[in-house]
Amino acid sequence: SGDFVGYSFWLISMALAASTIFFLMEALRMGGKWATSLTVSALVTFIAAFHYMYMREVWVSTGASPTDFRYIDWLLTVPLLMIEFYLILAAITKVSGGIFWRLLIGTLVMLVPGYMGEAGYLNVTVGFVIGMLGWFYILYEIFAGEASKVAAAEATAAVQKSYGLMKWTVTIGWAIYPIGYFLGYLAGGTDQGTLNIVYNLADVLNKIAFGLFIWYAANEDTS
Amino acid sequence: SGDFVGYSFWLISMALAASTIFFLMEALRMGGKWATSLTVSALVTFIAAFHYMYMREVWVSTGASPTDFRYIDWLLTVPLLMIEFYLILAAITKVSGGIFWRLLIGTLVMLVPGYMGEAGYLNVTVGFVIGMLGWFYILYEIFAGEASKVAAAEATAAVQKSYGLMKWTVTIGWAIYPIGYFLGYLAGGTDQGTLNIVYNLADVLNKIAFGLFIWYAANEDTS
Amino acid sequence: SGDFVGYSFWLISMALAASTIFFLMEALRMGGKWATSLTVSALVTFIAAFHYMYMREVWVSTGASPTDFRYIDWLLTVPLLMIEFYLILAAITKVSGGIFWRLLIGTLVMLVPGYMGEAGYLNVTVGFVIGMLGWFYILYEIFAGEASKVAAAEATAAVQKSYGLMKWTVTIGWAIYPIGYFLGYLAGGTDQGTLNIVYNLADVLNKIAFGLFIWYAANEDTS
Ligand SMILES: CC1=C(/C=C/C(C)=C/C=C/C(C)=C/C=O)C(C)(C)CCC1
Ligand SMILES: CC1=C(/C=C/C(C)=C/C=C/C(C)=C/C=O)C(C)(C)CCC1
Ligand SMILES: CC1=C(/C=C/C(C)=C/C=C/C(C)=C/C=O)C(C)(C)CCC1
């Protein structure tokens, strides 16, 4: 009772599970190429719902931060989020697969050294700096690279709006994780409970709202 | 914490579960004959997701390699993968069921003696040699047998590309299992943890990517 | 390790679960009257998958034959298999519901005294003999009764082929159960492990292959 960190794990896992059903049903309703984007949104929330239930158990029974399972979740869900930039453009025009592969490389450069830093296989500062470079590379791609040019030149108004919201989510929503890392390991430590609540709430934006931005474009362009 | 073998079981079981949803949704979206191929891809990942969750539990709680359950998984999923060679050709032209039955026989000749060797019901070398013959027979069928001829003569460009990727997966991706067997039983033993991680990662190619190759052909040929 | 009876319960429950997904997906794909037959095939495999998981637990934890649960499974699945004879004919022509009701009566006459014999509520020989009469009545109906006449006179080539395969499954595939009963209770007992493996493998034919025979006719007649 009163374990608000535990509650936030529970709350998010329910919200993620419900989002999964929503995205799958809307994919079935809309059909066509948009269905694939919505299905991928559902995969993100499905995988995360599962991980959150498990992370809650770890938290409730040990009181420790389930860091390893956050990274396993990220390793699966962040590439799927990156595919979305490709898919929402592929739903309306012809785009090269290179967009996805470059974003995938950025993801791995961001996550692998970050994990190695947290888990003690790499100096925490080095892990942080390399991870930041990976993230910056992703931001470069979606703000100034091929994807951004295709979006500006060929996308419908709805896709442009949702592309913009997705882009800023990757900028502002994602910043929470390196900030948490910085506070926890480089700025003298932070309260684990608070950090987990912040991470959990961040996923409402980065996983659920991100999926809803795609749903918005899909819904506008199919009706 | 830090049990990377256990993490890889978890990671793959999540990836397999998510793939199952993806293949089922895409089967519903595409319809027609291609839907059957995508449904069978989903059955492979579904069965494997279940086995992986169980194998993870075996590993985490006993530290032993869940060899028996790998073979049970293979006994179900390898025939389903073989059906795919038949189904992707049947989606575009008329093909004889003999293609599937010959591949099924190759599968049993590969797996049954392999298991008997590992489990001590047959000399390990004999089990290995007979198993290799079964695999070579499968390779002969898909590289030079009836299926390969139908693919070359009648398949669309997309089906030919995906047939080629599937063929090479059976060659290179599958090679990991007999190599593991050889290292473990015939070349003086190998580290069980490492071996399980390699097997687990191999299934990303042999089960998930294999399904995505089929999805590629289905997606190209229906849109 | 090495508990092959336990493995066979696991293997069949996975195969049944996968078959359920397959039949449901194909029902959605095909639509029309055939969808109902495929959905009923899925109900059979779904109910059995559940029973098998539970029966496996009983076997693994107690080493006893889960006889009661086999009968509960049969009480649900055998009538559904009987409905299939009606449904595949109803998918192509107008047939009377009497076909189903007579097969249902045969089922109850076969199963109820059989169970009472095994459970000790009736003399084992009496239970066996009455049960056999029920089975023979079912065989009469599908070989020489109304259903067989409709199949011969009005069915398409594909439905006739699948009707034939179903008919012979009820003859040969089903014979395994009374033989098991006979060996176990009337011929001086038999090894419970072997008997369970044989029963489990029989269900691959009687539940999964039976469903695939129907799928064959459905697939031929809708494409
Ligand atoms: C930059 C950076 C990091 C960024 C992590 C991010 C941005 C994770 C995003 C996860 C998401 C969006 C999950 C949603 O499904 C680390 C690895 C913490 C540390 C190294 C520097
Ligand atoms: C050749 C050979 C083997 C090959 C096993 C293979 C190729 C398994 C493939 C499994 C797959 C692809 C599962 C995916 O779902 C054994 C039995 C290890 C030992 C005997 C020689
Ligand atoms: C004739 C006979 C029997 C037959 C049982 C059968 C035929 C069961 C079939 C079950 C199936 C087909 C299940 C599949 O879902 C008993 C009751 C063993 C004993 C009495 C004589």
Side-chain angles (χ1 to χ4, degrees), chain B residues 6 13 55 59 76 82 105 138 151 179:
Chain B
S13 67
M55 292 196 284
W59 175 266
L76 288 164
M82 299 290 85
I105 290 167
I138 292 172
I179 291 172

Side-chain angles (χ1 to χ4, degrees), chain A residues 51 54-55 66-73, chain B residues 7 10 56:
Chain A
H51 280 82
Y54 188 80
M55 292 196 285
T67 305
D68 288 344
F69 281 89
R70 277 203 193 275
Y71 274 92
I72 296 179
D73 173 275
Chain B
Y7 295 166
W10 173 281
R56 174 177 172 273

Side-chain angles (χ1 to χ4, degrees), chain B residues 6 11 19 68 87 96 100 120 137 146 148-149 153 158 166 177 188 209:
Chain B
L11 184 92
S19 302
D68 289 344
L87 286 176
S96 92
F100 164 65
Y137 180 62
E146 190 187 344
S148 78
K149 279 166 200 149
M166 288 161 65
Y177 308 107

Side-chain angles (χ1 to χ4, degrees), chain A residues 40-51 68-84 100 104 107-108 110-112 174 207, chain B residues 7-19 201 204 208:
Chain A
V40 172
S41 292
L43 302 185
V44 170
T45 52
F46 167 77
I47 292 170
F50 227 93
H51 280 82
D68 288 344
F69 281 89
R70 277 203 193 275
Y71 274 92
I72 296 179
D73 173 275
W74 292 352
L75 208 56
L76 288 165
T77 56
V78 179
L80 290 171
L81 295 174
M82 299 289 86
I83 291 175
E84 293 285 26
F100 164 65
L104 183 65
T107 300
L108 294 176
M110 175 176 89
L111 294 180
V112 175
W174 289 26
K207 291 187 170 109
Chain B
Y7 295 166
S8 75
F9 277 110
W10 173 281
L11 184 92
I12 309 301
S13 67
M14 288 296 125
L16 287 163
S19 302
L201 290 178
V204 175
I208 298 176

Side-chain angles (χ1 to χ4, degrees), chain A residues 16-192:
Chain A
L16 287 163
S19 303
T20 305
I21 297 174
F22 177 76
F23 292 134
L24 289 178
M25 293 301 289
E26 291 292 289
L28 288 175
R29 176 171 80 78
M30 290 184 196
K33 292 244 169 191
W34 278 113
T36 310
S37 308
L38 291 168
T39 298
V40 172
S41 292
L43 302 185
V44 170
T45 52
F46 167 77
I47 292 170
F50 227 93
H51 280 82
Y52 265 93
M53 283 177 214
Y54 188 80
M55 292 196 285
R56 176 179 169 274
E57 263 172 52
V58 172
W59 175 266
V60 168
S61 59
T62 70
S65 275
T67 305
D68 288 344
F69 281 89
R70 277 203 193 275
Y71 274 92
I72 296 179
D73 173 275
W74 292 352
L75 208 56
L76 288 165
T77 56
V78 179
L80 290 171
L81 295 174
M82 299 289 86
I83 291 175
E84 293 285 26
F85 282 98
Y86 170 80
L87 285 176
I88 66 159
L89 298 176
I92 46 165
T93 184
K94 200 148 184 69
V95 279
S96 92
I99 290 177
F100 164 65
W101 292 108
R102 287 193 299 277
L103 291 173
L104 183 65
I105 290 167
T107 300
L108 294 176
V109 174
M110 175 176 89
L111 294 180
V112 175
Y115 175 73
M116 291 172 74
E118 293 212 41
Y121 298 104
L122 194 73
N123 173 286
V124 283
T125 313
V126 174
F128 182 75
V129 171
I130 304 179
M132 291 296 282
L133 292 176
W135 181 37
F136 291 150
Y137 179 62
I138 292 171
L139 292 173
Y140 165 79
E141 269 295 317
I142 59 181
F143 273 87
E146 190 187 344
S148 79
K149 279 167 201 148
V150 175
E154 302 182 45
T156 61
V159 171
Q160 280 187 353
K161 189 163 171 189
S162 100
Y163 187 93
L165 288 163
M166 288 160 65
K167 200 169 72 177
W168 285 104
T169 302
V170 175
T171 314
I172 297 166
W174 289 26
I176 287 156
Y177 308 107
I179 291 172
Y181 185 106
F182 184 82
L183 295 180
Y185 297 100
L186 304 170
T190 176
D191 175 57
Q192 288 300 307

Side-chain angles (χ1 to χ4, degrees), chain B residues 145-177:
Chain B
E146 190 187 344
S148 78
K149 279 166 200 149
V150 175
E154 301 183 45
T156 62
V159 170
Q160 280 187 354
K161 189 164 169 188
S162 99
Y163 186 93
L165 288 163
M166 288 161 65
K167 200 169 74 176
W168 286 104
T169 302
V170 173
T171 315
I172 297 167
W174 289 26
I176 287 156
Y177 308 107

Side-chain angles (χ1 to χ4, degrees), chain B residues 20 24-25 27-28 31-33 35-36 39-40 43 46-47 50-51 54 68-69 72 75-76 115 121, chain C residues 1-4 7-8 10-11 14-15 17-19 21-22 25-26 28-29 53 56 215 219-220 223:
Chain B
T20 305
L24 290 178
M25 292 297 292
L28 289 174
K33 292 245 168 189
T36 309
T39 298
V40 172
L43 302 185
F46 166 77
I47 291 169
F50 227 93
H51 281 82
Y54 188 80
D68 289 344
F69 281 89
I72 297 178
L75 207 57
L76 288 164
Y115 175 74
Y121 299 104
Chain C
S1 162
D3 170 15
F4 292 105
Y7 295 166
S8 75
W10 173 281
L11 185 92
M14 288 297 126
S19 302
I21 298 176
F22 179 76
M25 291 297 291
E26 292 290 288
L28 289 174
R29 175 170 84 78
M53 282 177 215
R56 174 176 173 273
W215 173 84
N219 194 42
E220 290 290 309
S223 64

